[in-house]
Amino acid sequence: NEILKNYINSRPRDIFINYNNSNITYDDMIYAVEDRIKSMQAINIQKGDLVGIYLDNSLNLLEILFGCIEIQAIPLIIPANFTSNEINYLSDSINFKYFITDWSKSGNIKNNKIPKFSIEELSPGIGGCAPSLRTQSDTNQIACLLLTSGTTGKPKIAQISIQNIIESCESWDNR
């Protein structure tokens, strides 16, 4: 965690990622994630809450993912191509506390017992991400859970560690 924090703090104006022909700096990412964190805390997402993230692969997804990690909620990324049946199977099988999705996908989540929030309702961010992992101390800790459909058609869960995220960020930086 300290290595990642020092890495980010040593290069705030460096480009973190180029998205849609726009250069997003580390500072931009940190600001965007902090904005998302405030929105998530305003809707009462807390440490230990299991949050289903059902968004297209976008920088919004990463903002929410890193926001969850920062407040120590447990993000579960649901592939955007999951069908309504797969989503409902998950929502009946897993004890989600919240779903974060977008307006176009919210109709696929039929379980009305789980609060749903659309990305459009949360703070705007910049459509970017920040590896703001200050509250984590062990890079082997699980940062999030990723759902895959697998070959059986039944969702499978893959654990993603903080170290996996750090290595991905470093590989982006070396491109």
Side-chain angles (χ1 to χ4, degrees):
N1 179 35
E2 287 302 313
I3 293 170
L4 178 61
K5 206 161 111 175
N6 291 337
Y7 180 80
I8 292 168
N9 289 334
S10 71
R11 53 184 61 213
R13 300 306 308 154
D14 283 4
I15 296 168
F16 177 73
I17 195 167
N18 181 293
Y19 184 73
N20 288 338
N21 296 320
S22 294
N23 290 329
I24 312 285
T25 67
Y26 285 97
D27 266 356
D28 295 334
M29 297 303 119
I30 291 168
Y31 176 79
V33 170
E34 287 174 353
D35 202 33
R36 295 289 191 184
I37 288 168
K38 289 175 190 169
S39 293
M40 290 189 292
Q41 289 173 329
I43 59 175
N44 207 30
I45 294 176
Q46 302 174 29
K47 177 180 180 176
D49 288 345
L50 182 57
V51 179
I53 304 172
Y54 183 44
L55 295 166
D56 288 322
N57 292 334
S58 67
L59 295 178
N60 285 327
L61 180 144
L62 293 174
E63 285 177 5
I64 297 299
L65 170 66
F66 286 118
C68 283
I69 292 167
E70 178 70 21
I71 60 177
Q72 296 183 345
I74 304 165
L76 184 72
I77 300 170
I78 303 165
N81 63 349
F82 265 30
T83 66
S84 183
N85 288 340
E86 290 170 313
I87 295 296
N88 293 317
Y89 172 80
L90 286 175
S91 67
D92 291 340
S93 304
I94 299 174
N95 191 21
F96 288 105
K97 181 88 180 227
Y98 300 97
F99 273 111
I100 297 178
T101 186
D102 62 34
W103 286 330
S104 68
K105 290 181 179 42
S106 64
N108 289 344
I109 304 169
K110 304 296 185 208
N111 188 331
N112 291 321
K113 296 176 187 169
I114 303 168
K116 293 182 279 191
F117 295 95
S118 70
I119 194 78
E120 295 89 355
E121 293 175 284
L122 300 176
S123 64
I126 58 164
C129 68
S132 180
L133 304 172
R134 291 185 295 269
T135 59
Q136 301 289 343
S137 59
D138 180 0
T139 59
N140 292 320
Q141 283 184 313
I142 300 305
C144 67
L145 303 173
L146 177 67
L147 284 175
T148 64
S149 60
T151 56
T152 65
K154 296 266 187 197
K156 292 182 177 66
I157 298 175
Q159 297 179 352
I160 308 298
S161 71
I162 293 171
Q163 186 63 40
N164 296 137
I165 294 171
I166 292 169
E167 289 170 3
S168 292
C169 291
E170 287 174 349
S171 72
W172 293 338
D173 209 31
N174 292 328
R175 287 185 187 177

